[in-house]
Amino acid sequence: QISDPQACDQMYESLVRIHTNFYKNKYPRLKDTTFTGVTVEDCRMILATDILKQMEDMKKGTWRRLREKFSAKKPEEDSK
């Protein structure tokens, strides 16, 4: 038994509105941007490239990173 059927119906209707995106459809956004003004696609592209670079760096071993770091400095030292 439900103690307050009217309150139960109100909560059910509220959940239905949330589930069906009632307010999203009632108040559509003028532009599909974030609070910074950047579009969603731009955010995805930026995040994807940054994440890929980080993943590549994580895959490299410590010795390989050190070797690349010092091999990059050698031409500068030779030019001095």
Side-chain angles (χ1 to χ4, degrees):
Q1 289 291 338
I2 300 171
S3 61
D4 190 3
Q6 187 177 7
C8 181
D9 289 341
Q10 285 177 345
M11 287 200 285
Y12 177 76
E13 291 298 322
S14 177
L15 289 172
V16 168
R17 285 193 300 270
I18 291 171
H19 177 69
T20 58
N21 290 327
F22 176 80
Y23 292 106
K24 179 182 178 187
N25 297 328
K26 186 175 179 181
Y27 304 107
R29 296 177 67 174
L30 299 176
K31 295 181 181 178
D32 193 22
T33 59
T34 61
F35 71 96
T36 59
V38 181
T39 62
V40 175
E41 291 301 320
D42 290 341
C43 287
R44 286 184 183 149
M45 185 171 48
I46 290 167
L47 290 174
T49 56
D50 286 346
I51 288 174
L52 286 175
K53 287 177 186 176
Q54 288 177 359
M55 292 293 283
E56 288 174 9
D57 287 342
M58 288 173 56
K59 286 181 183 177
K60 293 180 183 177
T62 307
W63 292 111
R64 188 172 183 184
R65 272 189 248 138
L66 287 172
R67 188 172 8 141
E68 287 177 1
K69 183 177 177 180
F70 289 115
S71 67
K73 288 186 178 181
K74 277 189 175 183
E76 294 173 6
E77 293 172 3
D78 292 340
S79 64
K80 288 183 181 178

